[in-house]
Amino acid sequence: MTDKNGDDDKNIDLPDFRSKFDNLGLVTAYEVKISKVALETLFIQREIESAREEYVKLRATIKAAEEKLEKASEQIAAERSYSPPRLAEFVVALLAPESSAQAQLGDYEEMFAKNVARIGVRKARQIYWLQVSASLRPLAWAWIKRMGFVTLLVDYVRSKFGF
């Protein structure tokens, strides 16, 4: 017999294997194992997704904590005031005239603070000493003139040589 398509209608009776295996309990055991594996896979995928979400949250928390720590350390460093070498300040205060000593020390201190922020405390102290040592000769000469040593020296030379 042919159908509308012109194909021969052959009814092939295949044995119903499922019913035979159902009776033995083999198909259901196999299906149960497949279902268990599928459920375990889904559970693992959900655990992985939740772990990824938690990882992202933790990374964000860590990044925020690192930023707060960096800001706090910068604030502590800014609050921590480093002072210039005391001996160098004393030398400048001793030799400089009273009217300009504070201004000169203020200028040196400003430059010291900028150098600390830029190159560190140790190098800033070295530069401070270099600045003070560069100004020692003019300061010493001005101090000698103020104290009148030059006048005493000139008077002494005049008295000895009869000028």
Side-chain angles (χ1 to χ4, degrees):
M1 212 172 182
T2 58
D3 62 358
K4 297 177 192 176
N5 295 336
D7 294 335
D8 288 333
D9 187 17
K10 294 182 182 176
N11 288 336
I12 301 174
D13 285 333
L14 294 175
D16 190 11
F17 288 112
R18 184 174 176 88
S19 62
K20 288 181 183 178
F21 285 118
D22 276 345
N23 293 337
L24 297 174
L26 295 175
V27 172
T28 57
Y30 179 71
E31 287 176 347
V32 168
K33 285 188 178 187
I34 289 175
S35 298
K36 283 183 180 179
V37 169
L39 287 173
E40 288 176 0
T41 304
L42 284 174
F43 177 74
I44 291 171
Q45 286 175 346
R46 286 184 183 162
E47 288 293 320
I48 290 171
E49 288 175 17
S50 67
R52 283 184 182 152
E53 290 171 2
E54 192 172 330
Y55 173 77
V56 169
K57 289 177 185 176
L58 286 174
R59 287 301 299 160
T61 304
I62 289 171
K63 188 173 182 177
E66 286 174 345
E67 289 173 358
K68 285 181 181 178
L69 180 65
E70 186 175 326
K71 286 180 183 178
S73 65
E74 288 174 1
Q75 185 179 7
I76 289 171
E79 290 173 0
R80 190 178 194 183
S81 62
Y82 295 102
S83 60
R86 303 230 182 234
L87 182 61
E89 285 182 326
F90 175 74
V91 169
V92 171
L94 179 71
L95 296 178
E98 202 172 312
S99 59
S100 67
Q102 290 301 320
Q104 196 167 6
L105 285 172
D107 292 343
Y108 287 158
E109 193 170 337
E110 275 183 43
M111 292 173 66
F112 177 78
K114 287 179 184 176
N115 287 338
V116 165
R118 193 171 47 115
I119 58 176
V121 178
R122 185 171 183 226
K123 284 283 193 183
R125 288 181 190 270
Q126 291 173 350
I127 291 173
Y128 191 90
W129 271 108
L130 287 173
Q131 291 170 337
V132 168
S133 63
S135 66
L136 278 180
R137 191 173 59 182
L139 287 175
W141 180 249
W143 183 73
I144 289 172
K145 287 185 352 185
R146 262 195 335 271
M147 292 301 178
F149 286 127
V150 175
T151 308
L152 286 174
L153 184 64
V154 169
D155 288 343
Y156 178 76
V157 170
R158 282 186 184 169
S159 68
K160 289 294 181 183
F161 294 109
F163 292 119

